């Protein structure tokens, strides 16, 4: 019990708890009191007779018309005046006692009441559309006083002008004034508490919705607004405090509108309140459709209401029944799936549903009107707001737990991704260092005198080294993409030059297999665009290289096209081959990491399956897509599209897309005679650097750790310094930073020669003042080009 109280205290705001406790007490006490003290007379409507007359500006005593009345119970709504004739002789009201004629308030344009006393006196009322509020009592009742006289009231005549339906009056009573006052007191208290509590709940939830912005909060606020509007109009609050402001018809229109809005918002709230995944899309569409249909019925009722609207009234009640069936079905399904929100909704919704059922049964004439029918719906609505508010608080708590759990999982995933990236970076560094020895030594060995068998061995070592280096680079690229750390460049370049450079790079491999490599329609490409040429080249090399690898006979054809619209250039490309082809199952798993179309392909052709996965990621980052068309034995065609920006600066230089032949200024021979410091802790890497520098006539000094490198660079002037980043005593970044502050080499070019190849590592190199970056392992031509690029022009000219 204590735990339950604690849950209530946490779910309901403190300032509303006293209101709720008082409300709950009153909801149970007031109806009982009303039923006990305010049942002074039977309902007179079933025994009423009727007759019809034309409309008149004023009506004299209509008692003489009772001679033409009918008592067969077949009264109908008509566009003229419909009169009910009620004899009070069997009721035998007391003389010299104040009475009230009370009737369920109805949608009529005019109501004429004539109270005929036994002594011939007539107490008459002629009520227009805006005058009904003057006779408002409590609930949906209006009252007409029958003042005390020496004679009792014998007969009552009630005339209706343009009634929508006579049976909607439900109830006509002739009761003592003192007894009716007790009913009014209880009714005012009940309606006031209900309206006040729900209004307080509405403003509280509006404030929460403004902060939390949950869809179900918005729907719940709309739901509360409909309840408040219904209570204020249907139970006479507006009529009591603003008499005559609205006609009785307008008030009833608002009442019906609020009921339609209640059905619509209640079903929308049901859909948004349930936990995600428990309610199928089909059920959600059905619930929303029923809500819209219910609202449409309400609007139809309002627009077409009149003396002929019994059919619409029946449809409105039937739609209420359909809505209940849909809600019960949804709640049954979701509760079976363990939905806590559905349990709260079911408990809360069952209370006003009982009131709705009573009203439907009353509308179908299955049960008579009673205080329970009259107040059942607002009582259920008030209790429902309490239960649903607790359910909303529980739902918010559940969502917060889910978000906290999701945040924790995200943090764990990010930590795992970072750990993976760190591991891959470290492993890349550790692998690249011995790889540099393999690549470098095999390159050096290939320049020595070897017999045919030894030359074959060296070539196989070089090919294996290239494959392993490609694998390392692919894994790092994939890791960056998965960690969202890969950023695309945004520079101006010529797409035609990018395609031509790929042709130059892969033409020798195609010719070696006797294949024709053709690039078509390159003239269709725009002269310049803005984007990332490096990643575009990577996509093309991967696709064309695969086409060459999996084709033994025939051609590999690259076709391009481009379109420009809405400030976007879309380049389309296809790479077609006449190779082995693929079946549908193979194509389905083609673009997944570490997957190839056929596992036997790996054994025959090699490869890891990373290339196409990286291509897919890069294409999607460029706002495009990639797909394949293929048939076994008939070859494959890979298609991709990418989106780029048009280049508008005509005078801006383009990024080079095609490798250029070496010029005199970039001839490795221009390195002859340079004095170069090599700071490298790995003995084999020092040996490779020494041999490569010796080959071009440069003089090399060596430092085996960072401190030694700093000492030599501080005392001797060098033309160039090659700096490893990870060394004992002091790392290369710290050495460079200190060199830039003082010493003989403050302006000497420093080039990082390292296995640290991430973008962050490269950025740190340039931040401390380095002039270039050589990634291990490296080819001799890459080594020489990096030295020539980093070397100052003045130093080269001085040594020329």
């Amino acid at each position: 019990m204590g735990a339950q109280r604690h849950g209530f205290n946490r779910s309901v705001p403190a300032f509303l708890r006293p209101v709720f406790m008082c409300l709950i007490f009153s909801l149970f006490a007031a109806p009982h009191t009303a039923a006990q003290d305010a049942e002074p007379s039977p309902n007179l409507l079933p025994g009423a007779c009727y007759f019809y007359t034309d409309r008149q500006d004023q009506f004299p005593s209509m008692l003489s018309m009772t001679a033409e009345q009918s008592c067969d119970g077949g009264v109908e709504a008509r566009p003229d005046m419909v009169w009910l004739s009620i004899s009070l002789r069997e009721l035998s009201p007391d003389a010299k006692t104040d009475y009230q004629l009370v009737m369920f308030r109805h949608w009529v344009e005019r109501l004429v009441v004539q109270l005929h006393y036994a002594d011939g006196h007539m107490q008459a009322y002629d009520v227009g559309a805006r005058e009904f509020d003057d006779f408002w009592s409590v609930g949906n009742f209006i009252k007409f006083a029958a003042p005390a006289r020496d004679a009792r009231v014998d007969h009552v005549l009630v005339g209706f002008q343009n009634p929508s339906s006579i049976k909607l009056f439900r109830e006509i009573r002739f009761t003592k004034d003192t007894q009716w006052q007790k009913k009014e007191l209880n009714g005012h208290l009940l309606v006031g508490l209900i309206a006040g509590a729900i209004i307080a709940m509405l403003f509280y939830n509006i404030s929460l919705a403004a902060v939390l912005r949950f869809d179900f909060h918005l729907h719940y606020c709309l739901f509360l607004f409909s309840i408040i509007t219904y209570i204020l109009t249907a139970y006479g609050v507006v009529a009591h405090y603003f008499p005559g402001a609205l006609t009785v018809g307008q008030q009833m229109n608002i009442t019906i509108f609020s009921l339609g809005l209640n059905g619509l918002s209640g079903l929308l709230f049901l859909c948004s309140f349930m936990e995600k995944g428990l309610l199928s899309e089909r059920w959600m569409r059905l619930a929303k459709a029923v809500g819209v249909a219910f609202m449409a019925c309400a609007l139809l009722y309002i627009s077409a209401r009149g003396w002929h609207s019994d059919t619409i009234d029946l449809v409105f009640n039937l739609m209420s029944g359909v809505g209940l069936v849909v809600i019960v079905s949804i709640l049954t399904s979701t509760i079976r799936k363990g939905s806590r929100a559905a349990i709260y909704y079911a408990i809360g919704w069952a209370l006003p549903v009982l009131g709705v059922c009573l009203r439907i049964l009353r509308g179908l004439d299955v049960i008579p009107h009673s205080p329970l029918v009259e107040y059942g719906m607002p009582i259920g609505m008030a209790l429902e707001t309490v239960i649903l508010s607790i359910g909303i608080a529980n739902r918010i708590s559940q969502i917060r737990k889910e978000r906290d759990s999701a945040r924790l999982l995200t943090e764990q995933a990010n930590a795992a991704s970072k750990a993976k990236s760190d591991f891959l970076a470290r492993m890349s560094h550790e692998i690249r260092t011995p790889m540099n020895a393999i690549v470098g030594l095999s390159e050096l060995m290939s320049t020595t005198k070897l017999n045919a068998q030894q030359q074959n061995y060296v070539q196989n070592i070089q090919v294996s080294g290239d494959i392993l280096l490609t694998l390392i680079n692919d894994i790092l690229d994939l890791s960056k993409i998965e960690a969202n750390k890969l950023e695309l460049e945004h520079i101006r370049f010529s797409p035609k030059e990018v395609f031509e450079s790929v042709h130059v790079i892969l033409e020798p491999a195609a010719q070696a297999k006797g294949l024709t490599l053709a690039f078509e329609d390159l003239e269709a490409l725009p002269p310049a665009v803005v984007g990332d040429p490096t990643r575009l080249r990577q996509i093309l090399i991967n696709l064309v290289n695969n086409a060459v690898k999996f084709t033994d006979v025939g051609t590999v054809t690259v076709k391009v096209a481009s379109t420009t619209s809405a400030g976007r250039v879309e380049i389309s490309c296809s790479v077609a081959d006449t190779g082995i082809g693929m079946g549908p199952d193979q194509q389905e798993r083609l673009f997944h990491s570490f997957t190839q179309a056929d596992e036997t392909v790996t054994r025959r052709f090699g490869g890891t399956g990373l290339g196409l996965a990286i291509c897919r990621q890069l294409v999607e980052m460029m706002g495009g897509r990639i797909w394949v068309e293929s048939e076994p034995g008939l070859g494959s065609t890979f298609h991709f599209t990418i989106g780029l920006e048009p280049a508008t600066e005509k005078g801006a230089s383009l990024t080079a897309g095609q490798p250029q032949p070496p010029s005199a200024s970039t001839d490795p021979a221009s390195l002859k005679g340079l004095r170069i410091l090599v700071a490298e802790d790995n003995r084999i890497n020092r040996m490779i650097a020494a041999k490569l520098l010796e080959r071009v006539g440069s003089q090399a000094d060596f430092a085996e750790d960072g401190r030694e490198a700093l000492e030599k660079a501080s005392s001797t002037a060098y033309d160039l310094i090659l700096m490893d980043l990870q060394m004992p005593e002091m790392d290369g970044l710290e050495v460079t930073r200190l060199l830039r502050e003082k010493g003989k080499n403050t302006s000497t070019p420093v080039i990082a020669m390292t296995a640290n190849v991430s973008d962050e590592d490269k950025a740190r190199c340039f931040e401390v003042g380095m002039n270039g970056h050589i990634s291990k392992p490296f080819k001799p031509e890459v080594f020489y080009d990096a030295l020539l690029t980093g070397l100052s022009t003045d130093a080269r000219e001085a040594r020329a």
Side-chain angles (χ1 to χ4, degrees):
M1 187 67 184
Q4 293 175 351
R5 285 198 301 268
H6 179 68
F8 177 82
N9 290 338
R10 292 189 61 183
S11 301
V12 181
F15 75 94
L16 289 178
R17 291 172 199 154
V19 177
F20 283 154
M21 299 306 295
C22 183
L23 171 64
I24 293 172
F25 172 76
S26 300
L27 291 178
F28 288 104
H32 172 74
T33 305
Q36 189 177 47
D37 297 337
E39 296 295 338
S41 67
N43 183 8
L44 303 176
L45 184 60
C49 300
Y50 63 94
F51 59 90
Y52 306 102
T53 69
D54 295 332
R55 299 182 182 181
Q56 301 178 26
D57 293 336
Q58 292 182 345
F59 285 95
S61 173
M62 302 299 292
L63 196 58
S64 62
M65 293 295 297
T66 58
E68 302 178 8
Q69 68 186 16
S70 175
C71 300
D72 59 4
V75 62
E76 296 178 354
R78 291 188 178 182
D80 48 10
M81 291 295 294
V82 182
W83 291 84
L84 295 182
S85 174
I86 302 172
S87 174
L88 300 181
R89 290 189 180 94
E90 294 183 3
L91 188 62
S92 300
D94 298 334
K96 300 181 180 181
T97 304
D98 290 332
Y99 276 84
Q100 295 285 349
L101 178 70
V102 294
M103 62 183 70
F104 204 70
R105 191 168 58 150
H106 192 45
W107 298 5
V108 292
E109 296 177 1
R110 181 184 180 191
L111 182 66
V112 179
V113 176
Q114 295 181 353
L115 302 168
H116 294 274
Y117 288 78
D119 60 1
H121 176 76
M122 181 182 73
Q123 179 71 35
Y125 300 90
D126 196 337
V127 183
R130 289 191 177 272
E131 297 170 345
F132 275 82
D133 292 348
D134 296 332
F135 300 91
W136 178 82
S137 175
V138 67
N140 269 337
F141 285 92
I142 51 177
K143 64 179 181 179
F144 300 93
R149 295 179 61 83
D150 291 337
R152 68 182 186 180
V153 179
D154 253 356
H155 210 97
V156 175
L157 295 175
V158 183
F160 310 101
Q161 180 175 313
N162 195 27
S164 60
S165 175
I166 296 298
K167 70 176 184 177
L168 290 182
F169 271 84
R170 319 292 184 199
E171 185 173 2
I172 299 178
R173 297 183 185 273
F174 194 72
T175 179
K176 290 181 180 180
D177 183 64
T178 54
Q179 291 178 312
W180 189 254
Q181 287 179 10
K182 294 180 182 180
K183 178 179 177 68
E184 283 187 317
L185 179 63
N186 290 324
H188 285 307
L189 174 63
L190 181 61
V191 173
L193 283 172
I194 291 173
I198 299 177
I199 289 174
M201 182 57 64
L202 173 62
F203 283 106
Y204 172 70
N205 279 279
I206 287 175
S207 64
L208 284 182
V211 175
L212 301 178
R213 301 181 182 276
F214 293 123
D215 286 345
F216 61 78
H217 245 141
L218 176 63
H219 297 153
Y220 186 60
C221 289
L222 194 63
F223 179 70
L224 291 176
F225 174 77
S226 68
I227 294 175
I228 293 170
T229 306
Y230 170 78
I231 292 174
L232 293 181
T233 54
Y235 288 86
V237 178
V238 172
H240 179 69
Y241 290 102
F242 306 98
L246 299 171
T247 66
V248 64
Q250 290 170 339
Q251 293 180 47
M252 290 303 174
N253 286 346
I254 295 174
T255 300
I256 293 299
F257 176 81
S258 63
L259 285 176
L261 183 61
N262 184 266
L264 175 61
S265 59
L267 287 164
L268 291 176
F269 175 68
L270 173 63
C271 294
S272 58
F273 187 54
M274 296 296 105
E275 295 89 346
K276 288 185 178 180
L278 292 184
L279 196 58
S280 69
E281 189 65 29
R282 180 173 59 87
W283 274 113
M284 292 182 69
R285 286 196 299 267
L286 176 61
K288 293 175 181 178
V290 171
V292 171
F294 194 78
M295 188 70 205
C297 284
L299 295 175
L300 178 64
Y301 203 140
I302 293 169
S303 60
R305 178 177 56 81
W307 60 271
H308 56 281
S309 61
D310 282 356
T311 302
I312 303 176
D313 178 60
L314 178 61
V315 173
F316 194 78
N317 287 326
L318 290 176
M319 281 304 306
S320 299
V322 172
L324 292 175
V325 172
V326 171
I327 291 173
V328 169
S329 301
I330 290 175
L331 293 177
T332 301
S333 173
T334 50
I335 288 175
R336 286 178 178 175
K337 296 177 181 178
S339 170
R340 295 176 63 183
I343 294 174
Y344 279 105
Y345 194 97
I347 296 173
W349 195 258
L351 298 170
V353 161
L354 179 60
V356 171
C357 290
L358 294 175
R359 292 174 70 89
I360 292 174
L361 293 175
R362 183 198 66 186
L364 297 174
D365 291 330
V366 176
I367 61 174
H369 190 80
S370 67
L372 183 60
V373 172
E374 181 182 349
Y375 290 106
M377 193 168 176
I379 290 172
M381 287 177 172
L383 291 174
E384 178 187 27
T385 60
V386 178
I387 294 171
L388 289 183
S389 294
I390 297 173
I392 285 175
N394 182 271
R395 183 80 179 94
I396 292 173
S397 176
Q398 182 181 1
I399 290 174
R400 285 175 174 170
K401 289 180 181 178
E402 291 173 355
R403 286 184 174 179
D404 290 342
S405 178
R407 188 181 299 110
L408 179 61
L409 291 175
T410 300
E411 291 174 355
Q412 291 175 344
N414 290 338
S417 177
K418 185 177 183 305
K420 182 179 73 173
S421 297
D422 292 344
F423 171 76
L424 289 175
R426 182 172 294 276
M427 291 304 296
S428 171
H429 179 275
E430 297 302 323
I431 293 173
R432 284 175 185 275
T433 298
M435 273 294 299
N436 191 54
I438 296 172
V439 172
L441 292 176
S442 62
E443 288 285 346
L444 293 175
M445 187 180 296
S446 66
T447 62
T448 64
K449 188 176 180 179
L450 302 172
N451 59 37
Q453 186 178 34
Q454 291 170 334
Q455 188 67 39
N456 182 51
Y457 291 160
V458 170
Q459 289 176 352
N460 286 333
I461 292 174
Q462 290 175 320
V463 170
S464 299
D466 291 341
I467 293 173
L468 186 55
L469 182 58
T470 300
L471 173 60
I472 295 171
N473 291 333
D474 283 348
I475 291 175
L476 286 179
D477 275 349
L478 189 64
S479 176
K480 288 179 184 177
I481 293 172
E482 291 178 349
N484 294 321
K485 290 184 177 181
L486 184 66
E487 296 184 0
L488 298 178
E489 285 187 306
H490 196 74
I491 59 176
R492 190 169 185 263
F493 71 96
S494 167
K496 181 182 178 183
E497 290 186 357
V498 171
F499 279 84
E500 289 175 343
S501 70
V502 173
H503 195 179
V504 170
I505 292 171
L506 296 179
E507 177 74 17
Q511 290 179 349
K513 296 186 67 174
L515 304 176
T516 300
L517 177 60
F519 279 65
E520 300 179 358
D521 302 328
L522 296 187
E523 298 302 325
L525 294 170
V529 293
V530 175
D532 191 330
T534 302
R535 296 304 177 181
L536 173 59
R537 185 182 295 108
Q538 182 177 355
I539 294 169
L540 288 170
I541 288 176
N542 203 302
L543 294 179
V544 177
N545 188 57
N546 277 352
V548 171
K549 181 167 65 173
F550 294 112
T551 302
D552 293 329
V553 178
T555 61
V556 174
T557 305
V558 180
K559 292 184 179 181
V560 296
S562 69
T563 57
T564 302
S565 62
R568 173 185 170 92
V569 177
E570 183 174 278
I571 293 179
S572 304
C573 177
S574 65
V575 179
D577 64 60
T578 56
I580 60 176
M582 294 172 286
D585 293 341
Q586 297 169 320
Q587 297 174 39
E588 185 177 349
R589 59 177 183 268
L590 191 61
F591 294 100
H592 297 286
S593 302
F594 298 101
T595 303
Q596 289 192 330
D598 188 345
E599 295 304 322
T600 60
V601 168
T602 303
R603 293 191 293 272
R604 179 182 173 189
F605 295 99
T608 62
L610 286 177
L612 290 177
I614 293 172
C615 286
R616 177 178 64 85
Q617 297 276 14
L618 292 176
V619 166
E620 291 176 355
M621 289 177 68
M622 295 183 184
R625 66 188 188 98
I626 185 170
W627 70 99
V628 64
E629 297 173 353
S630 182
E631 291 186 26
L634 299 179
S636 304
T637 302
F638 283 83
H639 302 268
F640 74 88
T641 62
I642 58 172
L644 302 168
E645 296 179 19
T648 57
E649 299 178 10
K650 296 182 179 180
S653 60
L654 299 180
T655 299
Q658 181 175 344
Q660 301 295 325
S663 63
S665 61
T666 59
D667 188 350
S670 61
L671 296 172
K672 183 178 180 181
L674 295 182
R675 188 168 188 179
I676 299 175
L677 174 63
V678 180
E680 170 65 64
D681 63 318
N682 185 278
R683 180 180 60 84
I684 298 177
N685 287 337
R686 289 198 303 271
M687 181 182 69
I688 294 172
K691 293 296 183 181
L692 292 176
L693 293 175
E694 180 182 337
R695 182 186 297 177
V696 295
S698 296
Q699 179 183 350
D701 289 347
F702 296 96
E704 298 183 11
D705 58 57
R707 191 170 300 281
E708 183 182 359
L710 181 60
E711 292 175 355
K712 288 189 175 183
S714 299
S715 59
T716 304
Y718 291 100
D719 299 302
L720 189 70
I721 299 175
L722 294 176
M723 185 74 69
D724 190 13
L725 295 189
Q726 294 189 9
M727 294 185 292
E729 302 294 336
M730 187 182 299
D731 63 56
L733 296 175
E734 182 65 16
V735 172
T736 304
R737 188 184 64 80
L738 294 174
L739 283 178
R740 293 307 185 210
E741 293 178 356
K742 60 181 179 178
K744 293 183 177 294
N745 294 282
T746 55
S747 59
T748 300
V750 178
I751 299 176
M753 187 176 66
T754 177
N756 294 21
V757 297
S758 69
D759 292 338
E760 294 83 355
D761 290 327
K762 293 179 181 178
R764 283 195 290 268
C765 291
F766 292 109
E767 285 175 3
V768 298
M770 291 187 179
N771 305 86
H773 185 282
I774 302 175
S775 300
K776 298 176 183 176
F778 49 79
K779 298 283 188 177
E781 58 271 19
V782 174
F783 177 79
Y784 294 137
D785 186 63
L787 265 58
L788 292 168
T789 302
L791 190 63
S792 68
T793 303
D794 293 340
R796 287 206 308 269
E797 291 178 350
R799 292 289 178 178

